[in-house]
Amino acid sequence: MEEISMAAINDLIRQIEDKNLRDRLQQEVARLSKQKKFGLVFEDHIPECTPLYGVAVRKGSLVAVKGEDIRDVYFVSAISNGRAAIVNKATGEKSERPLDTLVAVAQFGEPIFPSLIPIDSVENAPDSNLWHTLIEADNFHALQLLEYLYPKQVDCIYIDPPYNSRAKDWKYNNDYVDPTDSYRHSKWLSMMQRRLKIAKRILNPQNSVLIVTIDEKEYLHLGCLLEDMFPEAHIQMVSSVINPKGCARDGFSRSDEYIFFVMFGECTPARLSLSNEWSSSAIVSAQEKTDDDEAEKSVEPGWTSMMRRGTDSMRTDSPNLYYPIYVDPDTRTIKEIGTSIPMGQDRAEEIPGLIQVLPLRRNGTQGRWQVGNVELKNRIQQGRVRLGRPTAYGFVINYLPDGEYAKVVKGEYAIQGYADDGSMIAYKKKLGVDELRMPPTQWKIASHNASENGTTLLTSVIGEKRFPFPKSLYAVRDTLRFFVADKPNALIVDFFAGSGTTLHAVNLLNAEDGGNRRCILVTNNEVSDDEAKTLKKQGYQPGDEEWEKLGIARYVTWPRTICSIKGVDIHGDKLKGNYGCEIEKMVEVEGEITDPDTGRKIRGTFYKKAKEAIYPELSKIKMADGFAANAEYFKLGFLDKSSVALGQQFREILPMLWLKAGAVGKRPVLADGELPDMLIPESSNFAVLIDERYFGAFLAEIEARPNIEYVYLVTNSEDAYREMGSRIRTRNVTQLYRDYIDNFVINSRRI
């Protein structure tokens, strides 16, 4: 007997009208659900449904009532005078509704026959064959289409799925999942499993990677799911800091998230030249370790005491160098630096909550600091001052002398990061070693800050904040680079596309190394919860133009794609800056300052803030130049099987044929009127024989075109297809429409 899940039982109980019976059954189900389970166990929920706004409701359609639960699916038995007779699919109850109150729906697992409806395009490289794609759709159905287009052909899938951490984080069956729902994790796993099953079938099993980002709410469940679904793969998880300042969650300051890398076949991350930020845990790969490698890594520059020792070390030797340093004992950081204390006075004024540290020796005699208070402030900004152990007189304070700091500036020591007190953490840098490194499993990279290089960058491109928590452009670029740096023609898919960071990052990688990587984005066109409430108050419903234009695909993903490719913002103004991703640092300058205690002019080498590119190799890429790339924006549509079989919807299928052939050249568009006998687009790499009577002329045409790699033959005869196919040189020959129909009928059974 086929097992039925607890979740499915709950969904069925919900439909029982008798309240007493419904309550008793719920109590029994609750008792059964308390049985102990081990390992990853989750329910098979009632399949998700997708509303198909824009698809006509006909006799035989599956529909839902607008504004009601989309899981209540009806079968349209008849249509007359603008009204539809409908039958509840679960209960068999019959009713009648006005036609305009119904919306066609697609239930997962049922055969669909998709098409791609062109919405818009952007062309910034007319001579380039590089065409990216944005598909507006529920990603489950889009994945079914991608399986038809690119079975076992995708090099990399990068997804940032909903994290299931808030009430309005994600929808299931067109409704937000309540964080108190006892099945919230089960629903999330069910949603992910259905999509990953298809994702597995489009990845190249010989050499490809699936990359999934997640936070602590679901990372344990996701890890188990990936292990269960992909036992043949190598899986590695990385911790990545995306918000150095942290955000409050459950009494902690959360600053990181996790990245799962699922590697198939021969896939392994490339060893790349990485900056010093990666050095703390990256492994040098160009030569074997020597015995002193580990010892050399642990060597720090020579920190020394801020208090003068030896000759001229008394307070009386340099009275101006006797001043207070105020330390917060809780945070162990320097908060204030006072001015020189006049002779005859032992201490400065106290500051509540802070400890006053003076240059006092163990025997209580008064000494002096190594540098003045102005220079000390300067060195704190450089990270050259470190707070040591507590003492009877306060704290030990150490600093990095000029000679040792010069070694850091020259690169003899590599800065690994900064301690809580602001002091640099630096270690001896091994010289003469090829800097190709493996990626570490802990990433604390300044450019991966999602606030500065996600939200702020996106806002600069498309105006006001339109999307919550976009990924850092450089975090996605770096993540992809480990796996596609040596694949200049990689096909990269993101079916939780969000704001479109993945496509932006792919274009950046291509601009950096001259690659021709192609990206396919998939996202729905949902509006935010607040926008949905406002639109409903104004009388709009999903499917209305006023509603759809505020959806994520049309309001965020596509505008970002256009703007980043053209190098302009949403208003048409040129973008400013470059892709070097600058950070502030202290640099040496020659100059003159005034000592505030003596008024004396001091000339020498000082330090000031300056901006430095984290990625010098990207600094030459100006944002205003855009990218030499093109992109098409489609909405997923659905076709009638009978019409397809009769050859009545070739125009609707043509964009898919172009994509299946690799989206080479500009997408061909048929003029209105009768279909031609054959279609051989001049700028593309595919050809279609529409009328098999003209096969001879067709064969002569494609033999004269060596660039033709894909051939589509429209015929209902298997014998004719085999005969024609045997005379065509390319191996990529497809029978229309048989191949298209069979694919979606057969694959619907594998869900």
Side-chain angles (χ1 to χ4, degrees):
M1 177 182 290
E2 183 179 354
E3 182 180 354
I4 186 167
S5 71
M6 290 292 185
I9 291 174
N10 271 291
D11 286 328
L12 293 172
I13 289 174
R14 179 182 55 81
Q15 300 175 28
I16 297 174
E17 295 184 4
D18 187 320
K19 184 178 183 304
N20 291 330
L21 177 58
R22 186 171 65 244
D23 291 344
R24 287 187 60 189
L25 284 171
Q26 285 176 336
Q27 291 171 7
E28 289 301 312
V29 168
R31 184 180 62 80
L32 288 172
S33 66
K34 291 179 181 178
Q35 294 178 3
K36 294 185 182 297
K37 298 175 181 179
F38 298 92
L40 183 66
V41 180
F42 62 97
E43 306 290 355
D44 292 324
H45 293 267
I46 286 178
E48 298 169 65
C49 296
T50 303
L52 307 177
Y53 298 106
V55 174
V57 175
R58 298 185 175 91
K59 181 181 178 181
S61 295
L62 287 179
V63 298
V65 179
K66 292 179 181 178
E68 296 185 9
D69 195 329
I70 197 171
R71 292 171 295 181
D72 290 335
V73 177
Y74 300 85
F75 174 80
V76 178
S77 59
I79 296 177
S80 177
N81 298 322
R83 297 183 69 82
I86 58 177
V87 181
N88 189 293
K89 191 177 177 184
T91 66
E93 180 184 356
K94 297 180 180 180
S95 58
E96 189 177 286
R97 296 271 187 162
L99 200 58
D100 60 4
T101 65
L102 303 177
V103 59
V105 298
Q107 285 190 305
F108 292 8
E110 295 181 348
I112 61 158
F113 302 96
S115 68
L116 291 171
I117 304 168
I119 301 295
D120 198 5
S121 66
V122 55
E123 187 174 8
N124 201 43
D127 297 327
S128 172
N129 283 330
L130 179 61
W131 284 83
H132 303 298
T133 309
L134 168 63
I135 302 175
E136 176 192 322
D138 179 280
N139 56 15
F140 180 85
H141 294 306
L143 280 167
Q144 289 180 290
L145 171 61
L146 292 178
E147 184 181 2
Y148 171 66
L149 299 177
Y150 306 114
K152 299 181 180 181
Q153 296 177 40
V154 173
D155 298 290
C156 173
I157 292 177
Y158 176 98
I159 54 173
D160 180 33
Y163 286 2
N164 198 17
S165 54
R166 295 173 304 279
K168 305 302 180 185
D169 189 29
W170 69 287
K171 286 184 175 182
Y172 189 85
N173 273 326
N174 210 41
D175 193 14
Y176 287 106
V177 175
D178 191 324
T180 63
D181 186 342
S182 59
Y183 284 103
R184 66 190 182 281
H185 298 298
S186 180
K187 289 177 179 177
W188 189 88
L189 284 166
S190 182
M191 178 273 295
M192 290 295 294
Q193 184 197 47
R194 288 184 179 128
R195 287 154 178 81
L196 291 176
K197 276 183 179 179
I198 309 178
K200 183 176 183 178
R201 300 201 286 262
I202 66 174
L203 284 165
N204 177 0
Q206 306 303 318
N207 190 339
S208 64
V209 64
L210 165 67
I211 304 171
V212 189
T213 62
I214 200 67
D215 73 1
E216 74 277 10
K217 294 296 183 183
E218 293 290 357
Y219 87 101
L220 290 171
H221 303 113
L222 176 63
C224 290
L225 180 65
L226 295 174
E227 291 279 0
D228 181 66
M229 293 187 68
F230 309 113
E232 75 281 19
H234 303 284
I235 301 177
Q236 177 63 55
M237 189 184 81
V238 162
S239 174
S240 176
V241 174
I242 60 167
N243 183 4
K245 293 181 180 179
C247 61
R249 179 181 285 182
D250 298 330
F252 289 85
S253 180
R254 173 181 171 269
S255 62
D256 64 346
E257 64 179 17
Y258 308 100
I259 310 173
F260 280 99
F261 295 92
V262 185
M263 296 163 280
F264 299 91
E266 299 176 357
C267 182
T268 185
R271 291 168 166 83
L272 303 175
S273 178
L274 302 176
S275 68
N276 288 336
E277 281 188 295
W278 301 82
S279 301
S280 59
S281 52
I283 301 173
V284 176
S285 65
Q287 66 176 37
E288 294 293 326
K289 288 186 180 181
T290 60
D291 292 338
D292 63 343
D293 274 350
E294 291 303 320
E296 194 154 13
K297 281 184 182 179
S298 65
V299 175
E300 286 192 280
W303 293 83
T304 189
S305 173
M306 257 288 292
M307 193 161 64
R308 176 83 174 187
R309 302 183 187 281
T311 58
D312 299 325
S313 61
M314 302 296 291
R315 176 183 181 181
T316 52
D317 294 324
S318 296
N320 287 336
L321 299 182
Y322 185 83
Y323 55 85
I325 300 172
Y326 295 96
V327 173
D328 185 330
D330 296 325
T331 61
R332 302 285 290 266
T333 55
I334 296 173
K335 292 297 186 182
E336 296 284 344
I337 299 172
T339 57
S340 300
I341 299 174
M343 291 296 292
Q345 181 179 334
D346 293 334
R347 299 181 66 81
E349 185 177 349
E350 301 293 340
I351 298 179
L354 302 181
I355 293 177
Q356 182 177 163
V357 182
L358 295 166
L360 300 176
R361 291 183 170 81
R362 291 181 182 177
N363 60 10
T365 58
Q366 297 174 342
R368 63 145 173 127
W369 299 122
Q370 294 270 19
V371 297
N373 53 3
V374 174
E375 179 61 13
L376 179 61
K377 292 176 183 177
N378 197 22
R379 296 190 181 196
I380 288 174
Q381 288 183 313
Q382 293 174 302
R384 293 172 60 186
V385 179
R386 176 181 292 178
L387 203 62
R389 60 180 174 81
T391 68
Y393 299 101
F395 286 88
V396 172
I397 298 177
N398 297 313
Y399 84 112
L400 201 60
D402 291 342
E404 293 298 296
Y405 182 64
K407 295 178 183 177
V408 175
V409 173
K410 291 176 183 177
E412 294 181 27
Y413 293 87
I415 298 176
Q416 312 298 318
Y418 292 87
D420 292 340
D421 62 1
S423 62
M424 70 173 67
I425 301 170
Y427 293 103
K428 189 75 172 180
K429 186 176 179 182
K430 182 78 173 174
L431 300 179
V433 175
D434 188 342
E435 293 296 327
L436 295 182
R437 304 175 186 270
M438 292 180 183
T441 56
Q442 289 190 327
W443 298 358
K444 189 175 182 181
I445 313 300
S447 63
H448 293 189
N449 187 321
S451 176
E452 295 178 4
N453 298 309
T455 301
T456 301
L457 186 148
L458 180 61
T459 301
S460 72
V461 174
I462 63 173
E464 76 275 14
K465 186 175 179 180
R466 299 183 177 188
F467 184 82
F469 312 118
K471 283 282 184 287
S472 160
L473 172 65
Y474 303 100
V476 179
R477 175 256 188 188
D478 287 345
T479 303
L480 293 175
R481 195 164 65 108
F482 284 117
F483 293 92
V484 299
D486 57 352
K487 295 179 180 178
N489 298 305
L491 176 58
I492 299 160
V493 171
D494 181 350
F495 55 85
F496 284 103
S499 69
T501 308
T502 302
L503 175 51
H504 199 158
V506 169
N507 275 330
L508 185 57
L509 282 168
N510 285 340
E512 180 182 353
D513 64 9
N516 202 55
R517 303 170 187 88
R518 185 159 61 95
C519 185
I520 298 175
L521 300 181
V522 178
T523 184
N524 57 37
N525 199 44
E526 290 182 354
V527 302
S528 71
D529 184 51
D530 289 340
E531 287 168 336
K533 291 176 180 176
T534 301
L535 288 166
K536 285 179 180 177
K537 287 181 180 178
Q538 295 172 349
Y540 297 112
Q541 293 182 340
D544 294 341
E545 179 58 29
E546 290 299 316
W547 186 294
E548 295 300 311
K549 73 179 184 181
L550 294 178
I552 181 175
R554 302 191 188 189
Y555 194 54
V556 180
T557 321
W558 184 241
R560 178 185 189 159
T561 299
I562 292 177
C563 290
S564 60
I565 287 177
K566 287 187 172 182
V568 298
D569 64 19
I570 197 71
H571 305 294
D573 298 324
K574 286 289 186 181
L575 295 173
K576 297 180 176 64
N578 57 48
Y579 284 104
C581 186
E582 296 177 329
I583 59 170
E584 281 192 345
K585 65 173 294 185
M586 303 302 295
V587 297
E588 293 183 354
V589 293
E590 293 292 330
E592 186 177 79
I593 63 171
T594 302
D595 189 312
D597 294 327
T598 64
R600 185 165 57 91
K601 299 288 185 181
I602 303 173
R603 183 165 187 81
T605 301
F606 304 99
Y607 301 89
K608 70 174 184 178
K609 290 182 178 180
K611 290 186 176 181
E612 180 184 79
I614 297 178
Y615 301 98
E617 68 274 20
L618 300 181
S619 297
K620 64 181 182 295
I621 305 174
K622 296 180 180 179
M623 291 187 178
D625 291 341
F627 297 110
N630 314 296
E632 280 268 8
Y633 173 19
F634 299 101
K635 181 174 181 178
L636 192 70
F638 297 88
L639 303 176
D640 177 72
K641 176 184 174 181
S642 299
S643 297
V644 173
L646 293 171
Q648 296 174 348
Q649 294 189 297
F650 178 76
R651 283 185 174 81
E652 288 77 7
I653 288 179
L654 181 56
M656 288 189 293
L657 304 184
W658 172 71
L659 269 179
K660 190 174 178 66
V664 174
K666 194 168 184 178
R667 177 178 59 83
V669 178
L670 286 178
D672 292 337
E674 293 186 4
L675 294 179
D677 302 321
M678 65 184 76
L679 175 67
I680 310 177
E682 193 167 326
S683 63
S684 197
N685 64 337
F686 73 94
V688 188
L689 176 63
I690 299 173
D691 189 333
E692 61 185 291
R693 293 175 298 175
Y694 295 88
F695 177 72
F698 178 76
L699 184 61
E701 288 280 351
I702 63 175
E703 285 181 344
R705 289 272 303 273
N707 67 311
I708 298 298
E709 299 178 33
Y710 293 81
V711 174
Y712 304 99
L713 304 175
V714 178
T715 177
N716 291 324
S717 169
E718 286 286 340
D719 292 337
Y721 169 68
R722 283 194 294 269
E723 170 63 24
M724 290 186 290
S726 67
R727 299 176 61 186
I728 296 172
R729 56 178 173 78
T730 180
R731 296 178 60 185
N732 300 310
V733 181
T734 300
Q735 180 184 3
L736 290 180
Y737 300 93
R738 176 74 174 271
D739 176 80
Y740 169 84
I741 292 172
D742 286 353
N743 172 80
F744 293 103
V745 171
I746 293 170
N747 285 337
S748 67
R749 301 169 188 158
R750 302 167 64 189
I751 302 305

